[in-house]
Amino acid sequence: MSAPLLRVETLHVWFELAGGGELHAVRGIDFELAVGERFGLVGESGCGKTTAILALMGLLPPNASVAGRVVLDGEDILARGEDSVSPHRWRDIAMVFQGAMNAFNPVRRIGDQIVEPMELHRVAEGKEAHRRAAELLELVGIARNRIESYPHELSGGMRQRAAIAMALACKPKLVLADEPTTALDVMVQAQILNLLVSLSEELGLALVLVTHDLPVVAQTCGRTAVMYAGRIAEAGPLDALYHDPRHPYTRLLFATTPDLFEQREVVSIPGVPPRLDREPAGCAFAPRCDSAFAPCASVTPRALIVGDGRTAECHLNDPAARAAS
Amino acid sequence: MGRGDYIAKRVGFALITVLVAITLNFVLFRAIPGDAVSALRCRQCTAAFKEFQRQELGLDKSKWEQYRLYLADLAHGDLGRSLRTERSVASELWAPIRNTLPMVALGTFFSILLGVAAGVVSAWRRGTIVDRGTLYTGLGFYSMPPQWLGLLMVLYVSGWLGLPTSGVKDPILGILGDASTWDVVVDRLEHMVLPSLTLGLVLLGEYALITRSAMLETLGEDYALTARAKGLSNWAVVRRHGLRNALLPVVTLVALSLGFIIGGAITIEYVFSYPGIGLAIVEAIDKRDFPVLQGAFLLLTLSVIAFNLLADLLYFKLDPRVTT
Amino acid sequence: MSAGVEGAAFVERQGRGRALLSALRGPQLAIGLLILLAFTVIAVFSPLILSRDAKTKVGDVFEPPSGAHVLGTDGGGADMVALLVQGAGVSLAVGFAAAVVSALIGGAVGLLSGYFGGKVDTLLMRITDYVLVIPDVPLMIIVAALFGRSLTNIILIIGAIYWTTTARLIRAQVKSVRERVYVKRARAIGAGNTRIIFRHVLPQVAPLLVANTVLLVALAIFAETFITFLGLGDPALVSWGRLIENAFKDDALLNEAWWAIVPPGVCVTLLILACTMIGQSLEDSLNPRLRVGHLSVRRFRLRPLDGRLDAE
């Protein structure tokens, strides 16, 4: 395998809380991404997935602190904080935010907002930049003349397409998409996902898709990581995770997703994720786990290789731990 | 609802409000215990004179007839006559208005400019000493009665700055020798500084506070995060994505606080003996010269309505989403 | 999704109570309450504190501060401290009474408008819009000039004009409460409008109304100083607004008697500051904005990894 486009190593994020204390939102995650690869990051809300990708771009609020390495094309872009990460923003890594949330400033024209990063990063200027913005809109399936429109004049689905066009403005190598389809209806959702896949294939664009919605990942991504309480519980090819989950959380997460054809009971996972203002003892998932056994409450599980390109953090995969109990 | 309809709607609203204001003005001044003339205080006010005035004002006619006459007079720009000087109210008020307008405009302009700047800096440096300083200074000025701040100005600031504290012009300027236009303008400005500054400081706090919170809210929006993700520097995000959005509530606030601005201007003019509309009102109250009072109140109301309309149109220009 | 989302979700899990508590813990509310409490105590006990009417002449005109008269005397030779103590009662009474009148009118208009919607709403909001455009302070001045100079009149005038923002605020809140599940359920099981309003809607909007009333107190006290300054106050009573007027009328400026000018204004300013801080903190805690701005001169920090955290 050639050198990865992006390598994330032991990424941690803490938030200083207003009332004192700290929230350890991302607790050391690792993953790699090849050029043009589509990678899914799945988990319940509050598991740290959004924080993790915002950390990749150094977009955390001032009460946050970050540790770890984010290596893009061999360069650790977080090494010197804001100074080292800002030249890469939008130029190499762009972002698509949630559909319902407004990525566009409501009082400025769509076209101007797409042109903005081009001029900032000297990709194109003036007329040329506007021409390129119109082309990008066309590429995502919006009429060229919409560059003159204001955001509120576009439907939710169109606005999300425009946001994708905006992400492509500086020909990035990687696009981070945070719940890009959550607020959209199912038909539009499918269109947007198809658009993302085809753009990724045509332009050789790598994609990190963050979502709580497994079917969304199934439609778009190959390798996937399941996050729980700020750590990656299990990672590997999605179909392997589905057919042979090696972490109870992965299994339960799939079980919570309704299936049209299989007559299987949809379950919900009891309990709530742990509070992360103190370090959980043992496995963070243990209190909600249906297969927890002796070591889970006290010993933190380590990531074990459980197959080809697969890792899982669960004592069930550790013969020594099982033998001991 | 189209964008064009918005303008029509706002203008329509303004016109109806004008009618409401005129009616209110009429009703208020006829609802007084006794009538406008009996309260009059002046030397020549004998019983016969008062009776004559009553006929002159049409107070012997029915209320509806009076209302009709009032509207008809207004349509001709006739605001009635001062009971005290016998001159028309319009000409009584003309000079004061010319004095008040630049003073209030200067004060408001000063407060908006400085208030918005302070609010932006405060939001931008939130949580720092600068932010706290701005916050509490703003809150402090916001809490001061304007007339009292005016008195403090006279007491502590005027001597220090060497500025006049009363009137609108130097009474001896141009008498001992010819005064150039420049001298006259400078003299006028000097007399305007303290009243304007007082008004500006009183308003400044509120504008700074609203700008700060609007700015913070705007900067918390997703498009501000997107702008950062695009690689814009902090300052560029403020300039290109924060300012215009944060100005929207400021426009609304300025329009809403017009009543307060005018109220403040009235007491401030009184403190500085600045012969504007406020001083005219104070004198009319003192002498119970109701036609002047009524005319002044009507003018103030109409100008507030006009500025509200202006604010609506400005809002329309700033925010493309507005349609209703 | 906002970057502070994990923090926000965290606070959300703790419930609203936490937000209220954090506001209560903030210095603003505490300082505000302290000032208000101090003035209220002074106002309530002023008859006990003062042995005679504060306007009694006890010394020379504009006597500077001394041991006998800590803040000197005013233009009538009355002791400034005594005047300030007596003035506290009148100013607070005007403030609270007018604010209550405003809150009652505004609350009622907002409730009816938000709850019934439709034509009632349109009509009431139209009226509110018109009142909002009429310049409030000049109107108060005119009405005070026309209808006489009594305390009751002043309270009613201020109260009758300052209800508009309250009405709008309450209307918006009622509209959202109305759509909540339990209100819909109450209606579904056949509860009458009166019952729903008093049992379900009012308790939900009451805290906001209280917060808003505190803000109105500040406005009303302000308005009283305006009206009084123009010579339209109740001639028999001493209020802080009246003391400012007296200082001006009696030429305290010419006498450079700062002690007659500064203290009453400081009292008004402190009281308004206090009411504003209380009202604002309460409103903020009822309507918490947990959004975190994405920019600041300060930036996120980088932290070295120590072995303990490095699980790998």
Side-chain angles (χ1 to χ4, degrees):
Chain A
M1 197 169 147
S2 58
L5 172 69
L6 179 82
R7 201 170 69 239
V8 176
E9 295 170 14
T10 51
L11 183 72
H12 289 262
V13 179
W14 297 264
F15 288 110
E16 215 173 277
L17 295 172
E22 247 183 2
L23 186 79
H24 197 170
V26 177
R27 304 187 299 134
I29 62 171
D30 302 75
F31 63 89
E32 270 187 11
L33 200 62
V35 175
E37 190 185 357
R38 293 189 296 277
F39 181 75
L41 202 54
V42 191
E44 290 168 284
S45 60
C47 72
K49 54 193 194 301
T50 298
T51 307
I53 62 158
L54 286 174
L56 298 189
M57 287 182 89
L59 288 177
L60 295 168
N63 66 335
S65 45
V66 179
R69 277 157 53 88
V70 174
V71 182
L72 181 77
D73 273 339
E75 183 201 346
D76 181 0
I77 58 174
L78 285 186
R80 285 173 296 114
E82 184 84 12
D83 296 332
S84 54
V85 71
S86 69
H88 296 284
R89 289 190 186 136
W90 226 259
R91 186 74 193 80
D92 296 315
I93 311 178
M95 246 181 130
V96 176
F97 294 91
Q98 264 198 40
M101 303 291 177
N102 232 323
F104 286 101
N105 185 337
V107 304
R108 300 185 58 208
R109 293 177 198 278
I110 297 275
D112 294 341
Q113 299 189 54
I114 298 178
V115 164
E116 189 173 39
M118 295 188 212
E119 297 194 326
L120 187 75
H121 296 287
R122 315 226 176 264
V123 173
E125 259 160 300
K127 270 208 162 67
E128 162 69 14
H130 276 89
R131 199 179 50 75
R132 188 170 147 68
E135 280 171 9
L136 284 170
L137 285 182
E138 236 169 14
L139 183 67
V140 299
I142 299 179
R144 297 179 77 100
N145 60 10
R146 283 297 194 170
I147 60 168
E148 295 296 324
S149 296
Y150 285 101
H152 71 277
E153 295 166 338
L154 269 54
S155 69
M158 288 238 280
R159 222 178 304 166
Q160 199 58 330
R161 284 169 186 269
I164 293 170
M166 183 159 74
L168 300 177
C170 299
K171 304 179 192 140
K173 298 169 187 142
L174 169 62
V175 169
L176 310 173
D178 183 9
E179 305 271 10
T181 57
T182 306
L184 306 171
D185 68 59
V186 186
M187 292 296 288
V188 182
Q189 228 178 61
Q191 290 169 4
I192 297 286
L193 292 177
N194 288 338
L195 177 67
L196 280 173
V197 171
S198 65
L199 286 173
S200 152
E201 277 164 2
E202 279 166 39
L203 308 172
L205 195 67
L207 193 70
V208 174
L209 195 92
V210 175
T211 181
H212 67 279
D213 201 2
L214 280 165
V216 167
V217 186
Q219 278 178 63
T220 43
C221 298
R223 279 191 319 121
T224 298
V226 176
M227 270 189 85
Y228 186 79
R231 287 191 66 84
I232 292 180
E234 185 172 2
L238 188 73
D239 53 346
L241 296 187
Y242 177 67
H243 292 295
D244 177 27
R246 302 299 292 268
H247 193 295
Y249 180 62
T250 313
R251 173 166 47 79
L252 288 165
L253 201 61
F254 277 111
T256 57
T257 310
D259 196 309
L260 267 185
F261 303 108
E262 280 179 52
Q263 294 293 318
R264 114 180 116 71
E265 206 180 333
V266 175
V267 298
S268 65
I269 309 175
V272 290
R275 289 167 51 165
L276 293 175
D277 52 344
R278 65 180 87 94
E279 296 297 327
C283 172
F285 188 60
R288 300 171 74 187
C289 185
D290 56 3
S291 337
F293 61 114
C296 298
S298 52
V299 183
T300 308
R302 296 186 313 127
L304 297 171
I305 296 172
V306 292
D308 191 19
R310 295 187 59 185
T311 58
E313 279 187 354
C314 178
H315 289 307
L316 288 172
N317 302 312
D318 185 354
R322 298 189 75 156
S325 72
Chain B
M1 178 84 53
R3 297 262 289 164
D5 291 347
Y6 172 82
I7 297 179
K9 229 175 144 178
R10 296 323 296 174
V11 172
F13 175 76
L15 288 177
I16 299 173
T17 319
V18 167
L19 200 67
V20 171
I22 290 173
T23 310
L24 175 75
N25 210 4
F26 175 80
V27 171
L28 268 182
F29 282 83
R30 309 291 142 151
I32 326 163
D35 63 43
V37 175
S38 56
L40 192 62
R41 292 176 192 163
C42 59
R43 204 171 297 164
Q44 75 272 35
C45 297
T46 58
F49 174 80
K50 287 189 175 180
E51 200 45 52
F52 170 73
Q53 283 289 2
R54 277 198 187 95
Q55 277 172 21
E56 192 82 330
L57 287 169
L59 291 180
D60 47 352
K61 300 192 177 67
S62 81
K63 294 278 182 206
W64 280 110
E65 183 65 14
Q66 287 182 35
Y67 183 53
R68 206 184 55 74
L69 280 173
Y70 179 64
L71 287 182
D73 284 347
L74 273 184
H76 294 101
D78 183 0
L79 291 169
R81 280 175 186 288
S82 161
L83 296 177
R84 208 159 43 97
T85 62
E86 291 280 292
R87 290 169 61 210
S88 79
V89 170
S91 61
E92 279 284 291
L93 292 176
W94 177 232
I97 286 172
R98 276 193 319 184
N99 288 335
T100 294
L101 268 180
M103 191 273 281
V104 172
L106 192 67
T108 314
F109 180 71
F110 167 76
S111 63
I112 292 176
L113 206 68
L114 218 67
V116 169
V120 169
V121 170
S122 192
W124 160 253
R125 307 223 147 196
R126 74 171 180 289
T128 63
I129 302 274
V130 181
D131 180 25
R132 297 214 157 253
T134 313
L135 214 64
Y136 283 103
T137 314
L139 210 54
F141 279 123
Y142 167 79
S143 307
M144 290 179 192
Q147 68 273 27
W148 180 68
L149 188 62
L151 291 175
L152 292 190
M153 286 279 181
V154 177
L155 198 60
Y156 296 113
V157 182
S158 67
W160 178 52
L161 290 178
L163 286 168
T165 59
S166 83
V168 69
K169 59 182 176 214
D170 190 344
I172 53 168
L173 186 76
I175 290 177
L176 293 175
D178 267 350
S180 66
T181 323
W182 173 248
D183 288 338
V184 172
V185 169
V186 169
D187 179 56
R188 283 295 177 106
L189 276 176
E190 279 182 352
H191 282 82
M192 224 182 282
V193 169
L194 283 181
S196 300
L197 189 66
T198 310
L199 186 63
L201 285 176
V202 169
L203 297 172
L204 179 130
E206 201 174 6
Y207 296 160
L209 296 181
I210 197 90
T211 307
R212 178 184 181 272
S213 59
M215 201 71 196
L216 282 180
E217 185 140 337
T218 305
L219 296 181
E221 296 283 351
D222 269 16
Y223 54 78
L225 180 63
T226 308
R228 287 270 287 144
K230 282 175 179 175
L232 265 70
S233 68
N234 278 331
W235 177 238
V237 177
V238 170
R239 203 164 34 90
R240 302 174 72 147
H241 292 278
L243 214 50
R244 186 161 155 192
N245 306 60
L247 275 179
L248 293 174
V250 177
V251 172
T252 312
L253 183 72
V254 173
L256 277 178
S257 58
L258 281 170
F260 180 81
I261 297 178
I262 291 171
I266 294 174
T267 56
I268 288 171
E269 285 184 0
Y270 188 29
V271 169
F272 290 96
S273 309
Y274 189 87
I277 196 97
L279 206 61
I281 288 180
V282 173
E283 271 165 22
I285 289 175
D286 197 43
K287 300 292 188 310
R288 297 290 184 266
D289 192 345
F290 287 136
V292 172
L293 205 53
Q294 190 177 19
F297 179 57
L298 187 66
L299 278 180
L300 291 183
T301 313
L302 294 186
S303 54
V304 168
I305 294 171
F307 278 107
N308 260 296
L309 183 63
L310 210 65
D312 280 339
L313 298 182
L314 183 63
Y315 202 104
F316 177 76
K317 186 102 183 72
L318 284 174
D319 189 348
R321 287 166 298 180
V322 169
T323 51
T324 47
Chain C
M1 197 175 281
S2 134
V5 70
E6 258 78 28
F10 173 78
V11 177
E12 197 64 25
R13 276 209 294 281
Q14 313 290 309
R16 279 277 162 84
R18 188 189 157 90
L20 189 66
L21 272 177
S22 74
L24 281 166
R25 253 188 262 123
Q28 284 213 358
L29 190 66
I31 296 171
L33 282 173
L34 208 68
I35 299 174
L36 187 63
L37 189 72
F39 279 133
T40 313
V41 168
I42 291 173
V44 169
F45 291 102
S46 64
L48 294 175
I49 302 170
L50 302 169
S51 46
R52 55 177 171 246
D53 184 18
K55 282 174 291 185
T56 320
K57 187 168 159 58
V58 292
D60 277 345
V61 169
F62 290 130
E63 217 176 90
S66 66
H69 307 294
V70 181
L71 281 175
T73 60
D74 77 341
D79 182 66
M80 276 306 293
V81 176
L83 287 168
L84 287 171
V85 169
Q86 196 163 320
V90 178
S91 285
L92 277 173
V94 172
F96 278 100
V100 167
V101 173
S102 267
L104 283 178
I105 304 177
V109 170
L111 256 173
L112 294 176
S113 195
Y115 185 79
F116 290 106
K119 276 184 184 151
V120 181
D121 185 28
T122 314
L123 180 73
L124 288 175
M125 281 303 111
R126 258 308 141 74
I127 296 174
T128 311
D129 282 346
Y130 292 132
V131 179
L132 209 55
V133 177
I134 308 290
D136 43 18
V137 177
L139 180 59
M140 284 178 215
I141 292 168
I142 300 294
V143 176
L146 293 179
F147 293 93
R149 315 156 54 182
S150 78
L151 193 65
T152 334
N153 271 359
I154 289 174
I155 290 171
L156 289 179
I157 294 161
I158 299 174
I161 290 170
Y162 273 151
W163 54 268
T164 46
T165 43
T166 314
R168 289 187 151 195
L169 198 70
I170 297 300
R171 170 177 174 266
Q173 181 79 358
V174 169
K175 278 200 143 169
S176 84
V177 170
R178 206 175 158 250
E179 296 310 314
R180 288 189 196 155
V181 181
Y182 58 87
V183 175
K184 286 189 165 167
R185 196 168 50 217
R187 193 168 320 130
I189 61 171
N193 284 331
T194 329
R195 190 182 158 80
I196 295 176
I197 289 181
F198 281 97
R199 287 292 294 274
H200 298 288
V201 179
L202 203 55
Q204 290 293 314
V205 297
L208 191 65
L209 193 57
V210 170
N212 189 253
T213 308
V214 181
L215 289 173
L216 283 173
V217 172
L219 276 180
I221 290 172
F222 229 104
E224 191 269 340
T225 72
F226 275 139
I227 296 172
T228 312
F229 190 70
L230 300 179
L232 296 168
D234 193 322
L237 295 172
V238 175
S239 70
W240 291 335
R242 183 66 185 284
L243 293 179
I244 301 176
E245 186 214 355
N246 284 349
F248 179 62
K249 283 247 170 85
D250 297 343
D251 287 329
L253 283 174
L254 288 179
N255 291 288
E256 292 189 347
W258 60 265
W259 56 89
I261 301 171
V262 178
V266 170
C267 288
V268 174
T269 306
L270 278 178
L271 187 56
I272 289 170
L273 207 59
C275 291
T276 311
M277 291 201 293
I278 298 170
Q280 209 73 61
S281 326
L282 288 180
E283 261 186 18
D284 282 355
S285 64
L286 293 170
N287 191 7
R289 290 200 192 94
L290 294 168
R291 278 164 184 265
V292 183
H294 297 298
L295 74 182
S296 158
V297 279
R298 296 188 300 141
R299 290 166 176 170
F300 67 90
R301 280 161 299 137
L302 292 173
R303 211 188 257 197
L305 273 181
D306 52 9
R308 180 178 62 85
L309 293 166
D310 199 350
E312 252 64 31

